[in-house]
C-alpha cells in the first residue's frame, strides 16, 4: 500500500490539473512498484517552504517487497520527480521509506536537468 505524501509550497501555481498528475503517479505506482491501483494513496499538503530551492518535497512510504529493489525504487523516484518538476516548473526532492528496509532511497530533480525543462 504505497502512500505518496507531497508537500507543495503554497506559492506554486495551483492551476495545474492535479487529477491528471495523480493519474500518472498512480499508473507509475502500479507499473513500476507493482502496487494495486486501489491501494495507491496520494496526499497533497500545502505548506510554506522558505529557504529550500526544492519547492516540492515528497515522501513515499512502502511495505517491504522483494520485487521493489533499490534500483526499481530509485528509477520510480526519478521518473515521477521529472514529471513533477516539469509539471510544476520547480525543483523536486523525493525520499522513499520501506518498513523493515535497511536503506532510504532518494532523488533530487533540478528543473530542466533532463533537457526537457
Amino acid at each position: 500500500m504505497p502512500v505518496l505524501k507531497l508537500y507543495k509550497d503554497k506559492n506554486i501555481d495551483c492551476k495545474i490539473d492535479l487529477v491528471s498528475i495523480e493519474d500518472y503517479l498512480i499508473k507509475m505506482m502500479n507499473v513500476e512498484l507493482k502496487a494495486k491501483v486501489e491501494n495507491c494513496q496520494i496526499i497533497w499538503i500545502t505548506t510554506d517552504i522558505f529557504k529550500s530551492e526544492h519547492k516540492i518535497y515528497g515522501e513515499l512510504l512502502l511495505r517491504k517487497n522483494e520485487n521493489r529493489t533499490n534500483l526499481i525504487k530509485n528509477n520510480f523516484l526519478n521518473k515521477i520527480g521529472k514529471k513533477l518538476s516539469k509539471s510544476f516548473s520547480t525543483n523536486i526532492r523525493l525520499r522513499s521509506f520501506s518498513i523493515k528496509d535497511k536503506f532510504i532511497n532518494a532523488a533530487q530533480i533540478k528543473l530542466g536537468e533532463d533537457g526537457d525543462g
Side-chain angles (χ1 to χ4, degrees), residues 7-95:
Y7 299 85
K8 182 177 75 59
D9 185 82
K10 71 178 184 181
N11 295 315
I12 290 179
D13 185 8
C14 286
K15 295 177 183 151
I16 296 165
D17 182 9
L18 293 180
V19 173
S20 66
I21 292 173
E22 281 199 17
D23 287 344
Y24 171 82
L25 295 172
I26 289 170
K27 178 182 176 190
M28 293 302 293
M29 287 180 191
N30 175 251
V31 172
E32 300 286 325
L33 302 176
K34 307 297 184 231
K36 293 180 181 176
V37 171
E38 62 271 12
N39 290 340
C40 298
Q41 300 176 47
I42 299 172
I43 301 165
W44 294 91
I45 302 164
T46 303
T47 189
D48 288 313
I49 299 175
F50 295 107
K51 296 199 96 176
S52 176
E53 64 181 24
H54 299 89
K55 297 302 180 182
I56 293 180
Y57 173 79
E59 293 179 347
L60 176 66
L61 308 174
L62 298 163
R63 292 179 192 251
K64 186 174 180 179
N65 180 320
E66 298 305 319
N67 296 321
R68 294 177 186 154
T69 65
N70 284 326
L71 180 62
I72 288 171
K73 290 184 279 189
N74 282 333
N75 285 340
F76 172 79
L77 292 178
N78 279 292
K79 285 178 184 178
I80 68 165
K82 287 176 182 176
K83 171 70 172 179
L84 291 169
S85 179
K86 197 178 216 182
S87 297
F88 289 100
S89 298
T90 191
N91 299 325
I92 309 294
R93 180 172 279 159
L94 302 169
R95 302 288 181 263

